[in-house]
Amino acid sequence: VQLQASGGGLVQAGDSLRLSCAASGRTFTNHIMGWFRQAPGKEREFVASITWNLGTTNYADSVKGRFTISRDNTKKTVDLQIDTLKPEDTAVYYCAVKRPMSRDYNWWGQGTQVTVSS
């Protein structure tokens, strides 16, 4: 599986940004597609996930209401819409894929940097 994240950049607080993750290399069924982020000096944290087949979503409490995850089964992309960006959203954002019964995520993308200035 190959995952290519894109869409990061330098933005101002209050702006919106849409990250995209292009997936390839296998047929996805009920896999879970996730977004994570890692801020400087902090551990990587879960942001959001979506099931490939049903589109069931899950969000970290810290991003509920501002982040929206979606997927396009035809294009094989998973997007993360981030609204009302805050400086604390500054991080490298990673997309990942997990097999249905796996505890951990099995494949990871290279990450895209999001920097929010105040």
Side-chain angles (χ1 to χ4, degrees), residues 81-109:
Q81 175 71 32
I82 310 175
D83 296 320
T84 319
L85 277 153
K86 304 176 181 180
E88 50 264 42
D89 294 322
T90 294
V92 178
Y93 284 72
Y94 299 90
C95 59
V97 179
K98 182 168 66 169
R99 293 190 186 97
M101 301 304 293
S102 176
R103 183 191 69 177
D104 300 318
Y105 279 77
N106 306 104
W107 300 280
W108 292 84

mmCIF file of all heavy atoms in Angstrom, residues 81-109:
data_model
loop_
_atom_site.group_PDB
_atom_site.id
_atom_site.type_symbol
_atom_site.label_atom_id
_atom_site.label_comp_id
_atom_site.label_asym_id
_atom_site.label_seq_id
_atom_site.Cartn_x
_atom_site.Cartn_y
_atom_site.Cartn_z
ATOM 1 N N GLN A 81 -10.779 17.829 6.105
ATOM 2 C CA GLN A 81 -11.099 19.246 6.066
ATOM 3 C C GLN A 81 -10.895 19.825 7.448
ATOM 4 O O GLN A 81 -11.454 19.316 8.426
ATOM 5 C CB GLN A 81 -12.551 19.450 5.612
ATOM 6 C CG GLN A 81 -13.026 20.885 5.659
ATOM 7 C CD GLN A 81 -12.401 21.748 4.584
ATOM 8 O OE1 GLN A 81 -12.103 21.260 3.491
ATOM 9 N NE2 GLN A 81 -12.207 23.031 4.879
ATOM 10 N N ILE A 82 -10.081 20.868 7.539
ATOM 11 C CA ILE A 82 -9.799 21.499 8.826
ATOM 12 C C ILE A 82 -10.283 22.938 8.760
ATOM 13 O O ILE A 82 -9.806 23.729 7.954
ATOM 14 C CB ILE A 82 -8.303 21.476 9.159
ATOM 15 C CG1 ILE A 82 -7.730 20.067 8.993
ATOM 16 C CG2 ILE A 82 -8.072 21.982 10.571
ATOM 17 C CD1 ILE A 82 -6.222 19.996 9.183
ATOM 18 N N ASP A 83 -11.215 23.276 9.603
ATOM 19 C CA ASP A 83 -11.759 24.630 9.638
ATOM 20 C C ASP A 83 -11.299 25.355 10.905
ATOM 21 O O ASP A 83 -10.950 24.727 11.897
ATOM 22 C CB ASP A 83 -13.285 24.584 9.580
ATOM 23 C CG ASP A 83 -13.799 24.014 8.274
ATOM 24 O OD1 ASP A 83 -13.219 24.330 7.215
ATOM 25 O OD2 ASP A 83 -14.774 23.236 8.312
ATOM 26 N N THR A 84 -11.347 26.663 10.837
ATOM 27 C CA THR A 84 -10.978 27.507 11.971
ATOM 28 C C THR A 84 -9.662 27.041 12.589
ATOM 29 O O THR A 84 -9.586 26.685 13.774
ATOM 30 C CB THR A 84 -12.097 27.508 13.036
ATOM 31 O OG1 THR A 84 -13.381 27.570 12.431
ATOM 32 C CG2 THR A 84 -11.936 28.714 13.951
ATOM 33 N N LEU A 85 -8.650 27.016 11.778
ATOM 34 C CA LEU A 85 -7.350 26.530 12.232
ATOM 35 C C LEU A 85 -6.821 27.351 13.396
ATOM 36 O O LEU A 85 -7.013 28.575 13.463
ATOM 37 C CB LEU A 85 -6.354 26.561 11.081
ATOM 38 C CG LEU A 85 -6.442 25.338 10.157
ATOM 39 C CD1 LEU A 85 -5.981 25.678 8.757
ATOM 40 C CD2 LEU A 85 -5.629 24.200 10.745
ATOM 41 N N LYS A 86 -6.151 26.669 14.300
ATOM 42 C CA LYS A 86 -5.555 27.278 15.474
ATOM 43 C C LYS A 86 -4.043 27.016 15.461
ATOM 44 O O LYS A 86 -3.596 26.010 14.892
ATOM 45 C CB LYS A 86 -6.157 26.690 16.747
ATOM 46 C CG LYS A 86 -7.660 26.808 16.845
ATOM 47 C CD LYS A 86 -8.179 26.114 18.093
ATOM 48 C CE LYS A 86 -9.688 26.214 18.197
ATOM 49 N NZ LYS A 86 -10.215 25.537 19.419
ATOM 50 N N PRO A 87 -3.262 27.865 16.101
ATOM 51 C CA PRO A 87 -1.819 27.613 16.155
ATOM 52 C C PRO A 87 -1.479 26.230 16.714
ATOM 53 O O PRO A 87 -0.504 25.606 16.273
ATOM 54 C CB PRO A 87 -1.313 28.723 17.068
ATOM 55 C CG PRO A 87 -2.281 29.841 16.859
ATOM 56 C CD PRO A 87 -3.611 29.171 16.678
ATOM 57 N N GLU A 88 -2.299 25.715 17.629
ATOM 58 C CA GLU A 88 -2.023 24.404 18.198
ATOM 59 C C GLU A 88 -2.306 23.264 17.231
ATOM 60 O O GLU A 88 -2.030 22.106 17.532
ATOM 61 C CB GLU A 88 -2.818 24.186 19.495
ATOM 62 C CG GLU A 88 -4.296 24.493 19.392
ATOM 63 C CD GLU A 88 -4.641 25.902 19.860
ATOM 64 O OE1 GLU A 88 -3.886 26.858 19.529
ATOM 65 O OE2 GLU A 88 -5.672 26.046 20.552
ATOM 66 N N ASP A 89 -2.847 23.579 16.060
ATOM 67 C CA ASP A 89 -3.014 22.564 15.017
ATOM 68 C C ASP A 89 -1.727 22.357 14.218
ATOM 69 O O ASP A 89 -1.664 21.463 13.376
ATOM 70 C CB ASP A 89 -4.137 22.959 14.060
ATOM 71 C CG ASP A 89 -5.504 22.966 14.709
ATOM 72 O OD1 ASP A 89 -5.773 22.080 15.547
ATOM 73 O OD2 ASP A 89 -6.308 23.871 14.391
ATOM 74 N N THR A 90 -0.743 23.182 14.475
ATOM 75 C CA THR A 90 0.534 23.045 13.783
ATOM 76 C C THR A 90 1.139 21.677 14.067
ATOM 77 O O THR A 90 1.332 21.297 15.223
ATOM 78 C CB THR A 90 1.511 24.141 14.239
ATOM 79 O OG1 THR A 90 1.006 25.417 13.820
ATOM 80 C CG2 THR A 90 2.895 23.928 13.632
ATOM 81 N N ALA A 91 1.410 20.944 13.015
ATOM 82 C CA ALA A 91 1.922 19.576 13.154
ATOM 83 C C ALA A 91 2.191 19.002 11.763
ATOM 84 O O ALA A 91 1.784 19.579 10.750
ATOM 85 C CB ALA A 91 0.904 18.697 13.881
ATOM 86 N N VAL A 92 2.842 17.865 11.763
ATOM 87 C CA VAL A 92 2.913 17.061 10.552
ATOM 88 C C VAL A 92 1.728 16.106 10.597
ATOM 89 O O VAL A 92 1.525 15.409 11.595
ATOM 90 C CB VAL A 92 4.235 16.271 10.459
ATOM 91 C CG1 VAL A 92 4.240 15.401 9.205
ATOM 92 C CG2 VAL A 92 5.423 17.226 10.458
ATOM 93 N N TYR A 93 0.955 16.103 9.537
ATOM 94 C CA TYR A 93 -0.234 15.274 9.475
ATOM 95 C C TYR A 93 0.053 14.054 8.603
ATOM 96 O O TYR A 93 0.561 14.179 7.474
ATOM 97 C CB TYR A 93 -1.408 16.075 8.910
ATOM 98 C CG TYR A 93 -1.988 17.034 9.906
ATOM 99 C CD1 TYR A 93 -1.295 18.191 10.270
ATOM 100 C CD2 TYR A 93 -3.210 16.790 10.515
ATOM 101 C CE1 TYR A 93 -1.806 19.068 11.213
ATOM 102 C CE2 TYR A 93 -3.736 17.670 11.454
ATOM 103 C CZ TYR A 93 -3.026 18.794 11.794
ATOM 104 O OH TYR A 93 -3.546 19.664 12.732
ATOM 105 N N TYR A 94 -0.303 12.905 9.138
ATOM 106 C CA TYR A 94 -0.060 11.634 8.462
ATOM 107 C C TYR A 94 -1.377 10.918 8.186
ATOM 108 O O TYR A 94 -2.275 10.916 9.020
ATOM 109 C CB TYR A 94 0.796 10.714 9.335
ATOM 110 C CG TYR A 94 2.160 11.238 9.673
ATOM 111 C CD1 TYR A 94 2.370 12.005 10.821
ATOM 112 C CD2 TYR A 94 3.253 10.947 8.854
ATOM 113 C CE1 TYR A 94 3.627 12.489 11.138
ATOM 114 C CE2 TYR A 94 4.516 11.417 9.173
ATOM 115 C CZ TYR A 94 4.695 12.184 10.317
ATOM 116 O OH TYR A 94 5.945 12.654 10.631
ATOM 117 N N CYS A 95 -1.453 10.283 7.029
ATOM 118 C CA CYS A 95 -2.565 9.378 6.787
ATOM 119 C C CYS A 95 -2.065 7.949 6.936
ATOM 120 O O CYS A 95 -0.876 7.665 6.755
ATOM 121 C CB CYS A 95 -3.185 9.603 5.405
ATOM 122 S SG CYS A 95 -2.078 9.402 4.006
ATOM 123 N N ALA A 96 -2.968 7.077 7.297
ATOM 124 C CA ALA A 96 -2.614 5.696 7.560
ATOM 125 C C ALA A 96 -3.804 4.785 7.259
ATOM 126 O O ALA A 96 -4.948 5.243 7.218
ATOM 127 C CB ALA A 96 -2.169 5.538 9.016
ATOM 128 N N VAL A 97 -3.502 3.510 7.092
ATOM 129 C CA VAL A 97 -4.537 2.514 6.793
ATOM 130 C C VAL A 97 -4.366 1.317 7.729
ATOM 131 O O VAL A 97 -3.242 0.880 7.988
ATOM 132 C CB VAL A 97 -4.450 2.021 5.332
ATOM 133 C CG1 VAL A 97 -5.516 0.966 5.067
ATOM 134 C CG2 VAL A 97 -4.600 3.188 4.370
ATOM 135 N N LYS A 98 -5.494 0.832 8.189
ATOM 136 C CA LYS A 98 -5.470 -0.320 9.093
ATOM 137 C C LYS A 98 -6.349 -1.437 8.530
ATOM 138 O O LYS A 98 -7.450 -1.175 8.038
ATOM 139 C CB LYS A 98 -5.985 0.120 10.461
ATOM 140 C CG LYS A 98 -5.985 -0.956 11.513
ATOM 141 C CD LYS A 98 -6.228 -0.370 12.894
ATOM 142 C CE LYS A 98 -7.594 0.221 13.058
ATOM 143 N NZ LYS A 98 -7.882 0.528 14.477
ATOM 144 N N ARG A 99 -5.881 -2.658 8.635
ATOM 145 C CA ARG A 99 -6.709 -3.799 8.270
ATOM 146 C C ARG A 99 -7.883 -3.870 9.251
ATOM 147 O O ARG A 99 -7.783 -3.412 10.390
ATOM 148 C CB ARG A 99 -5.900 -5.082 8.341
ATOM 149 C CG ARG A 99 -4.785 -5.193 7.317
ATOM 150 C CD ARG A 99 -4.206 -6.595 7.325
ATOM 151 N NE ARG A 99 -3.044 -6.712 6.471
ATOM 152 C CZ ARG A 99 -1.790 -6.631 6.916
ATOM 153 N NH1 ARG A 99 -1.562 -6.431 8.203
ATOM 154 N NH2 ARG A 99 -0.793 -6.761 6.079
ATOM 155 N N PRO A 100 -8.984 -4.466 8.845
ATOM 156 C CA PRO A 100 -10.201 -4.464 9.675
ATOM 157 C C PRO A 100 -10.002 -4.951 11.106
ATOM 158 O O PRO A 100 -10.540 -4.362 12.027
ATOM 159 C CB PRO A 100 -11.145 -5.376 8.897
ATOM 160 C CG PRO A 100 -10.695 -5.270 7.485
ATOM 161 C CD PRO A 100 -9.217 -5.116 7.534
ATOM 162 N N MET A 101 -9.249 -6.011 11.329
ATOM 163 C CA MET A 101 -9.124 -6.563 12.673
ATOM 164 C C MET A 101 -7.777 -6.248 13.317
ATOM 165 O O MET A 101 -7.428 -6.790 14.351
ATOM 166 C CB MET A 101 -9.338 -8.072 12.632
ATOM 167 C CG MET A 101 -10.686 -8.491 12.083
ATOM 168 S SD MET A 101 -12.037 -7.709 13.014
ATOM 169 C CE MET A 101 -11.854 -8.495 14.591
ATOM 170 N N SER A 102 -7.033 -5.354 12.703
ATOM 171 C CA SER A 102 -5.712 -5.021 13.231
ATOM 172 C C SER A 102 -5.818 -4.030 14.373
ATOM 173 O O SER A 102 -6.632 -3.117 14.351
ATOM 174 C CB SER A 102 -4.841 -4.449 12.116
ATOM 175 O OG SER A 102 -3.590 -4.028 12.616
ATOM 176 N N ARG A 103 -4.975 -4.205 15.369
ATOM 177 C CA ARG A 103 -4.950 -3.255 16.480
ATOM 178 C C ARG A 103 -4.251 -1.971 16.052
ATOM 179 O O ARG A 103 -4.661 -0.867 16.408
ATOM 180 C CB ARG A 103 -4.218 -3.858 17.678
ATOM 181 C CG ARG A 103 -4.204 -2.962 18.905
ATOM 182 C CD ARG A 103 -3.252 -3.485 19.949
ATOM 183 N NE ARG A 103 -1.860 -3.371 19.526
ATOM 184 C CZ ARG A 103 -0.823 -3.714 20.284
ATOM 185 N NH1 ARG A 103 -1.020 -4.214 21.475
ATOM 186 N NH2 ARG A 103 0.404 -3.582 19.831
ATOM 187 N N ASP A 104 -3.183 -2.132 15.321
ATOM 188 C CA ASP A 104 -2.375 -0.984 14.902
ATOM 189 C C ASP A 104 -2.589 -0.703 13.418
ATOM 190 O O ASP A 104 -3.021 -1.549 12.658
ATOM 191 C CB ASP A 104 -0.894 -1.260 15.153
ATOM 192 C CG ASP A 104 -0.602 -1.517 16.617
ATOM 193 O OD1 ASP A 104 -1.166 -0.798 17.471
ATOM 194 O OD2 ASP A 104 0.189 -2.436 16.894
ATOM 195 N N TYR A 105 -2.247 0.517 13.041
ATOM 196 C CA TYR A 105 -2.281 0.882 11.635
ATOM 197 C C TYR A 105 -1.100 0.221 10.919
ATOM 198 O O TYR A 105 0.016 0.200 11.433
ATOM 199 C CB TYR A 105 -2.266 2.407 11.477
ATOM 200 C CG TYR A 105 -3.634 3.011 11.685
ATOM 201 C CD1 TYR A 105 -4.161 3.161 12.959
ATOM 202 C CD2 TYR A 105 -4.418 3.401 10.599
ATOM 203 C CE1 TYR A 105 -5.433 3.691 13.148
ATOM 204 C CE2 TYR A 105 -5.686 3.934 10.778
ATOM 205 C CZ TYR A 105 -6.186 4.065 12.062
ATOM 206 O OH TYR A 105 -7.451 4.586 12.249
ATOM 207 N N ASN A 106 -1.399 -0.310 9.747
ATOM 208 C CA ASN A 106 -0.422 -1.135 9.046
ATOM 209 C C ASN A 106 0.431 -0.364 8.035
ATOM 210 O O ASN A 106 1.556 -0.746 7.768
ATOM 211 C CB ASN A 106 -1.137 -2.273 8.317
ATOM 212 C CG ASN A 106 -2.008 -3.081 9.246
ATOM 213 O OD1 ASN A 106 -3.236 -2.950 9.239
ATOM 214 N ND2 ASN A 106 -1.401 -3.900 10.065
ATOM 215 N N TRP A 107 -0.125 0.672 7.451
ATOM 216 C CA TRP A 107 0.598 1.428 6.423
ATOM 217 C C TRP A 107 0.477 2.931 6.716
ATOM 218 O O TRP A 107 -0.591 3.409 7.140
ATOM 219 C CB TRP A 107 0.024 1.136 5.039
ATOM 220 C CG TRP A 107 0.095 -0.293 4.651
ATOM 221 C CD1 TRP A 107 1.185 -0.969 4.170
ATOM 222 C CD2 TRP A 107 -0.982 -1.244 4.689
ATOM 223 N NE1 TRP A 107 0.858 -2.279 3.917
ATOM 224 C CE2 TRP A 107 -0.465 -2.484 4.226
ATOM 225 C CE3 TRP A 107 -2.315 -1.182 5.077
ATOM 226 C CZ2 TRP A 107 -1.231 -3.633 4.136
ATOM 227 C CZ3 TRP A 107 -3.081 -2.326 4.989
ATOM 228 C CH2 TRP A 107 -2.550 -3.528 4.517
ATOM 229 N N TRP A 108 1.559 3.639 6.467
ATOM 230 C CA TRP A 108 1.615 5.064 6.761
ATOM 231 C C TRP A 108 2.130 5.843 5.558
ATOM 232 O O TRP A 108 3.006 5.376 4.828
ATOM 233 C CB TRP A 108 2.560 5.315 7.940
ATOM 234 C CG TRP A 108 2.045 4.766 9.230
ATOM 235 C CD1 TRP A 108 2.161 3.488 9.685
ATOM 236 C CD2 TRP A 108 1.314 5.494 10.223
ATOM 237 N NE1 TRP A 108 1.544 3.372 10.905
ATOM 238 C CE2 TRP A 108 1.014 4.586 11.264
ATOM 239 C CE3 TRP A 108 0.877 6.811 10.342
ATOM 240 C CZ2 TRP A 108 0.304 4.959 12.392
ATOM 241 C CZ3 TRP A 108 0.185 7.190 11.476
ATOM 242 C CH2 TRP A 108 -0.096 6.267 12.485
ATOM 243 N N GLY A 109 1.590 7.044 5.404
ATOM 244 C CA GLY A 109 2.103 7.962 4.406
ATOM 245 C C GLY A 109 3.264 8.766 4.966
ATOM 246 O O GLY A 109 3.625 8.630 6.137
#
